[in-house]
Amino acid sequence: MAVGFDRFRRVSVRSLTEKRPRSVAGQVFILQVAFAVLLVVAAVLALVLQTRSDSDREARKRSIAVAETFAHSPGLLGALDAPDPAKVLQPITETARKEAGVDFIVVMDTHGIRYTHPQPDRIGGRFVGTIEPSLAGRVHTESVDGPLGKEVQAIVPVTDRGDVVALVSAGMKVKNVDNAFQRHLPIIFGTGAGGLALAMTGTALVARRLRRQTHGLDPAEMTRMYEHHDAVLHAVREGVLIVGGDGRLLLANDEAKRLLGLPPDAEGRNIAELPGLDPGMARLVVSGRTATDELHPAGDRLLAVNQRATDRYGGPMGSVTTLRDSTELQALTGRMEVTSKRLKLLYAAGVGIGTSLDVVRTAEELAEVAVAGFADFVTVDLAEPVLRGEEPTGGETRMRRSAVRGIRDDHPLLPIDATIDYAATTPQARGFGSGRSEVVADLADALDWQAQDPVQTRRVTDYGIHSLIAAPIQARGIVLGVANFWRSEKPEPFDEEDLFLAEELVARAGISIDNARRYTREHAVAVTLQRSLLPRALPQQSALDVAHRYLPAQSGVSGDWFDVIPLSGSRVALVVGDVVGHGLHAAATMGRLRTAVHNFSTLDLAPDELLGHLDDLVNRIDQDEPGAGPDGSAAAGGSGITGATCLYAIYDPVSRRCAMARAGHPPPALVHLDGRVEFPDLPAGPPLGLGSMPFETTELELAEGSQLVLYTDGLIEDRTRDIDVGMELLRRALAHPDRSPDESCQALLEALLPARPKDDVALLIARTRTLGRDRVAEWDVPSDPAAVAGMRAAVSGQLADWGLSDLEFTTELVLSELITNAIRYGSPPIRVRLLRDRTLISEVADGSSTSPHLRYAASTDEGGRGLFLVAQIAERWGTRYTPEGKVIWAEQPLPPSGDAG
């Protein structure tokens, strides 16, 4: 109504004002424009004069500054004393002139004869200007017509011990000063034009305001306009009341009289005297306060009231009130609000339910969302197989309470983890069997529900819970549990519309719970597989004091692994690897690689050779994958292993040498005895399976008690920080050499890992030990069969010193066969070494790479039984290759008295 009324008013005013001349407004407009133009022109003129004066003043200041600076410059007096001052000063003054931005610098003697000038042909001539004030020791500025044209110049005396010995003049051409001024003119005139435009705009707005307020109407036209307005006022379907400052009703249109039930003679009477007017409405109209869309009853109607004071707009004291019948609109708005709340609840369910792949957490999210906008209490009961990741079997009604939420915490409902075996008569059991939801309007009369536990159900009803919706949670046709929605605060019971909303909520939760259930099953299988593939216990060895940690990621298992592998000669191999990805495939791939490392390590290969063999194996595995391309690369959708990394290190406790190589893996950390932590510079090498570059081995000598730290990238990498920050945190956490390896493992995990790590972490910390010289015996053996007898005697003596005389016969037999083979089939140098560790290790090294073979000799053969005897006597035996040749070794168990402990 207000829009139509305003449009009618504008049309009426336009039709009347088009007949009137605009003489007064036009004259005022012209006068204001002329005044504004004069002000702008005066401002521009003043700005022009000021700018020009400032430019001239700036030119004089610059000339004085340049002349004084040059007159007092070091070396000027020396140049004046030179045989030819002009030759010395001319290039200097030209350079200074260009740097200072002036047009000339002239140095002259006290007679005004120039030593320098921008025009060299002027040197030697007389200076054009007044030099007398400067000869008297003053700075003088003037404008002259000089060799360069009109000039502004400054003359400064050059003194030596108080006497004027020369003069320096610097200045600028007037046209350059004018050019600087002219560069300001566009800004000056632009500013003036902007000011003029602004003044014109303001003048036009004032004139327009004047025309809008006067309209140019005469009394007849005003009368006709008000007649039109009065007709519109009584025709609109919105009530209008105008009340004076004394509380009298000045005007009421027909719609206002109808809505409020006012008598025909209501106008002119006091509001308080009007019969039938609602007291609340009367108080509002008399108060004159501002009201916006306030709802007030008027009989069986609900009116939307707006009220404004009239004196705020220049009118007399009073108020104007408008009324709209909003009875039907209010009912529709109520239904829309209910629908809007339910849509918001469903949206919150879509966003808030299923944020994790955890069955219990998903049930809790359903309860949290429903309590916030639907029920007063919510309980979620899931079948026990669902919590284990399994599908429930048909006919089960035994459930476990997985979530409880409510508006208060003192409720009598069963707590979390309570086991519930619903009776067949309960709505929960019926829903679990049929998949259909039920509404229990009044729990006090629900005998089938009370049959579950009369005492417990009595506590629930006494608490004030009076209505229930039992909605089965199902997905893919399988019922997973039941969600119970309880009402206590609202006196109305749940109805069919509430049942529909509960089913929508449960349907959304059912999909998420089923996804979480299947993930739980797969995760459990993957974790079981992964843990079965990782070392269950570290092997016994004496070279290293080792501690380890393995933390699976919260989001699923991955392919991280570690290993400690005893090698021959008391050496120990440390391995840490990582297969990129998560799930069963990553865990299975990790097991294959770990097995391969074990197999390759039995060959006593150097780290780079072992990684090379492992790289070839990964390539072959990728080629055998179903999704591999023609060239063996993993095709899209394939399950190749590309992305696996590995770090392999071998530590020798006799030499304290550690050989390491890595394939795309983070470098190890080395903790020195003084607490210094460094990351050895190991060539990174490509990840396994790429086969693009060879691997390189790096050897380090480690002091006894040093700690070698091997880890996977899950320890140092995190989305919230840069990898350099993780490396620095690792360095700080390791800078405690007094900690044991186990304490260091725990400190690292606490310092670097978040509460829920996103990736697996494998950590291996080894403190080095040494096999002392008192437990190592070495001999060089001549390449002569006669030397075998002497070696037997030397070995017997050493075993006696170690208290291992019980092993004398078998050890002599083993070494005799190994030394004889080395002399007969090998090449010098031949060396024998005994190691007393957890076992007695006998080693014979020679310079040949020929590998001995164990064979069964026939009864008629005269030889060929040596290695067979060694294999029968020794616990283990084998061959390893070195850069100098090979080593054949054999291990014998120590008797209890000779155990190295």
Side-chain angles (χ1 to χ4, degrees):
M1 190 279 293
V3 175
F5 182 80
D6 185 70
R7 182 179 301 166
F8 170 78
R9 180 177 179 275
R10 290 200 301 270
V11 172
S12 300
V13 171
R14 188 185 307 114
S15 63
L16 294 173
T17 53
E18 286 175 351
K19 304 176 182 178
R20 302 290 296 173
R22 302 177 182 177
S23 57
V24 174
Q27 290 176 5
V28 171
F29 178 74
I30 293 173
L31 179 61
Q32 289 180 338
V33 167
F35 183 69
V37 170
L38 289 176
L39 287 178
V40 171
V41 169
V44 170
L45 181 60
L47 190 58
V48 166
L49 294 177
Q50 179 65 34
T51 303
R52 187 164 188 175
S53 174
D54 290 345
S55 298
D56 183 72
R57 187 182 306 109
E58 179 63 25
R60 290 178 182 272
K61 287 182 178 179
R62 184 183 295 182
S63 299
I64 293 173
V66 172
E68 286 187 335
T69 301
F70 198 85
H72 296 92
S73 62
L76 180 60
L77 295 176
L80 292 172
D81 292 337
D84 189 356
K87 182 177 181 181
V88 177
L89 293 173
Q90 176 66 9
I92 298 175
T93 55
E94 283 304 293
T95 301
R97 174 182 69 81
K98 295 175 182 177
E99 293 290 336
V102 296
D103 291 322
F104 65 88
I105 297 177
V106 175
V107 182
M108 69 197 85
D109 60 12
T110 54
H111 300 291
I113 303 304
R114 304 186 189 96
Y115 291 133
T116 65
H117 196 274
Q119 298 176 354
D121 58 339
R122 300 282 183 173
I123 297 173
R126 185 172 181 79
F127 175 71
V128 178
T130 305
I131 64 174
E132 286 75 12
S134 299
L135 291 174
R138 297 194 301 274
V139 176
H140 177 63
T141 61
E142 60 184 355
S143 297
V144 299
D145 188 1
L148 302 178
K150 291 289 186 178
E151 303 169 349
V152 176
Q153 62 185 15
I155 307 167
V156 176
V158 179
T159 61
D160 183 14
R161 299 178 183 176
D163 298 329
V164 177
V165 299
L167 303 175
V168 176
S169 175
M172 301 177 64
K173 292 183 286 187
V174 173
K175 68 176 183 178
N176 289 343
V177 177
D178 292 339
N179 288 339
F181 163 71
Q182 290 173 2
R183 286 194 300 271
H184 291 83
L185 287 180
I187 300 175
I188 295 172
F189 285 110
T191 305
L196 180 59
L198 184 62
M200 293 283 287
T201 302
T203 301
L205 292 176
V206 171
R208 182 179 178 184
R209 175 82 175 184
L210 182 61
R211 286 196 302 272
R212 188 166 61 250
Q213 289 182 344
T214 59
H215 301 304
L217 299 179
D218 58 20
E221 292 167 339
M222 292 288 292
T223 300
R224 187 162 56 253
M225 183 183 71
Y226 279 111
E227 288 175 351
H228 293 168
H229 289 179
D230 192 57
V232 172
L233 181 66
H234 290 280
V236 296
R237 299 296 296 170
E238 185 168 324
V240 179
L241 299 176
I242 300 179
V243 179
D246 56 356
R248 287 186 307 109
L249 179 62
L250 302 180
L251 183 145
N253 68 349
D254 296 341
E255 183 67 9
K257 292 178 181 179
R258 184 184 73 83
L259 294 175
L260 298 176
L262 299 178
D265 60 345
E267 293 178 346
R269 297 172 62 179
N270 194 285
I271 291 294
E273 300 173 358
L274 295 177
L277 186 63
D278 182 79
M281 178 67 71
R283 286 192 297 272
L284 172 63
V285 172
V286 173
S287 69
R289 66 178 176 83
T290 300
T292 302
D293 288 335
E294 290 187 7
L295 298 179
H296 289 269
D300 58 349
R301 295 186 178 92
L302 190 63
L303 304 181
V305 182
N306 288 276
Q307 182 168 278
R308 297 292 185 273
T310 56
D311 57 332
R312 294 173 54 187
Y313 308 100
M317 293 289 293
S319 61
V320 176
T321 306
T322 60
L323 312 169
R324 294 195 313 275
D325 189 354
S326 62
T327 305
E328 295 181 359
L329 180 62
Q330 186 67 20
L332 180 61
T333 302
R335 290 194 293 271
M336 290 179 61
E337 289 180 353
V338 172
T339 303
S340 176
K341 288 181 179 178
R342 293 187 172 184
L343 288 175
K344 289 181 179 178
L345 180 61
L346 292 177
Y347 174 77
V351 174
I353 299 176
T355 60
S356 68
L357 291 173
D358 183 88
V359 173
V360 175
R361 179 55 193 156
T362 305
E364 292 174 348
E365 290 170 347
L366 169 61
E368 291 168 359
V369 169
V371 166
F374 178 57
D376 297 322
F377 298 93
V378 178
T379 59
V380 181
D381 305 325
L382 297 177
E384 290 189 338
V386 174
L387 298 173
R388 299 191 299 267
E390 304 170 2
E391 289 188 359
T393 58
E396 288 187 2
T397 57
R398 186 180 182 85
M399 303 184 204
R400 185 174 297 275
R401 181 140 294 175
S402 302
V404 179
R405 287 291 185 277
I407 56 176
R408 296 191 300 274
D409 296 331
D410 59 346
H411 57 79
L413 300 172
L414 293 178
I416 291 177
D417 288 334
T419 301
I420 307 172
D421 193 355
Y422 283 109
T425 60
T426 60
Q428 290 90 344
R430 291 195 297 268
F432 192 84
S434 65
R436 291 190 296 271
S437 304
E438 292 190 19
V439 177
V440 182
D442 189 357
L443 293 174
D445 296 335
L447 299 180
D448 53 355
W449 171 71
Q450 295 175 8
Q452 172 69 28
D453 186 345
V455 176
Q456 172 66 17
T457 55
R458 175 63 62 184
R459 285 199 294 265
V460 172
T461 53
D462 290 346
Y463 183 79
I465 297 176
H466 59 82
S467 187
L468 163 69
I469 292 179
I473 303 172
Q474 51 188 329
R476 299 179 295 107
I478 300 173
V479 180
L480 308 174
V482 177
N484 303 295
F485 303 92
W486 312 85
R487 177 171 285 179
S488 63
E489 293 296 307
K490 287 185 178 181
E492 303 86 4
F494 286 118
D495 55 21
E496 292 300 320
E497 290 188 2
D498 296 324
L499 177 63
F500 173 76
L501 179 58
E503 289 177 340
E504 285 289 326
L505 290 173
V506 171
R508 301 187 181 212
I511 297 174
S512 298
I513 290 177
D514 188 54
N515 290 337
R517 177 194 65 78
R518 289 190 288 176
Y519 172 79
T520 300
R521 180 187 60 196
E522 294 176 2
H523 182 72
V525 172
V527 168
T528 302
L529 172 63
Q530 185 183 38
R531 294 197 179 279
S532 67
L533 296 175
L534 287 172
R536 298 186 180 182
L538 296 183
Q540 294 184 351
Q541 43 80 34
S542 302
L544 296 167
D545 179 13
V546 182
H548 64 91
R549 292 290 189 278
Y550 176 77
L551 269 70
Q554 295 293 329
S555 59
V557 297
S558 184
D560 292 16
W561 92 91
F562 65 91
D563 227 327
V564 178
I565 306 173
L567 301 177
S568 64
S570 295
R571 297 171 306 133
V572 176
L574 301 176
V575 191
V576 170
D578 183 7
V579 177
V580 176
H582 295 81
L584 287 173
H585 177 71
T589 301
M590 175 268 289
R592 297 166 80 177
L593 294 183
R594 178 172 174 254
T595 302
V597 171
H598 265 274
N599 292 336
F600 290 139
S601 66
T602 59
L603 302 177
D604 269 322
L605 300 176
D608 56 338
E609 295 179 16
L610 185 140
L611 292 180
H613 286 291
L614 199 61
D615 184 66
D616 292 339
L617 174 64
V618 171
N619 274 323
R620 288 196 299 273
I621 293 175
D622 283 343
Q623 291 172 6
D624 294 338
E625 290 291 341
D631 59 349
S633 60
S639 53
I641 313 177
T642 301
T645 66
C646 184
L647 173 61
Y648 187 81
I650 299 176
Y651 174 68
D652 186 347
V654 178
S655 64
R656 294 187 290 107
R657 303 289 295 178
C658 183
M660 294 179 283
R662 61 185 177 126
H665 202 81
L670 180 59
V671 184
H672 295 276
L673 298 178
D674 58 359
R676 182 168 48 90
V677 180
E678 66 171 326
F679 299 96
D681 186 16
L682 269 70
L688 298 175
L690 296 184
S692 57
M693 295 177 62
F695 302 99
E696 297 182 45
T697 295
T698 300
E699 282 201 8
L700 302 174
E701 184 172 341
L702 307 181
E704 184 177 7
S706 303
Q707 293 189 34
L708 191 62
V709 182
L710 283 66
Y711 53 90
T712 55
D713 56 5
L715 182 68
I716 57 174
E717 291 184 357
D718 190 82
R719 295 178 181 177
T720 61
R721 65 174 183 244
D722 189 74
I723 188 171
D724 293 337
V725 177
M727 297 290 283
E728 184 59 30
L729 291 175
L730 177 64
R731 184 194 303 273
R732 294 177 184 175
L734 287 173
H736 299 277
D738 54 323
R739 289 179 181 157
S740 67
D742 191 72
E743 292 172 341
S744 295
C745 283
Q746 191 61 34
L748 282 184
L749 298 184
E750 293 174 356
L752 276 79
L753 291 188
R756 298 177 64 88
K758 302 296 183 183
D759 195 7
D760 285 21
V761 175
L763 175 62
L764 202 62
I765 300 182
R767 174 172 286 166
T768 61
R769 297 173 179 170
T770 60
L771 203 62
R773 302 308 303 175
D774 58 330
R775 302 168 68 180
V776 179
E778 296 180 281
W779 299 274
D780 291 324
V781 181
S783 184
D784 182 1
V788 176
M791 283 307 306
R792 283 200 297 265
V795 168
S796 298
Q798 184 64 59
L799 292 178
D801 293 342
W802 284 345
L804 301 177
S805 298
D806 293 344
L807 299 178
E808 180 178 336
F809 175 75
T810 56
T811 304
E812 288 182 1
L813 181 57
V814 167
L815 284 177
S816 295
E817 294 298 333
L818 296 182
I819 294 172
T820 301
N821 276 343
I823 294 173
R824 182 176 298 174
Y825 304 110
S827 61
I830 300 173
R831 190 169 182 81
V832 174
R833 185 171 72 166
L834 286 181
L835 302 177
R836 183 171 63 90
D837 194 7
R838 294 180 179 271
T839 60
L840 179 64
I841 304 171
S842 304
E843 296 181 347
V844 176
D846 67 85
S848 171
S849 298
T850 303
S851 176
H853 296 283
L854 180 67
R855 67 186 182 89
Y856 294 93
S859 58
T860 57
D861 291 344
E862 295 183 359
R865 298 178 179 82
L867 287 180
F868 179 77
L869 291 175
V870 172
Q872 295 301 311
I873 295 173
E875 188 176 58
R876 293 194 312 148
W877 77 280
T879 304
R880 68 173 183 270
Y881 295 93
T882 66
E884 297 79 18
K886 69 175 181 296
V887 175
I888 304 177
W889 55 271
E891 293 184 5
Q892 301 176 74
L894 296 178
S897 59
D899 193 351

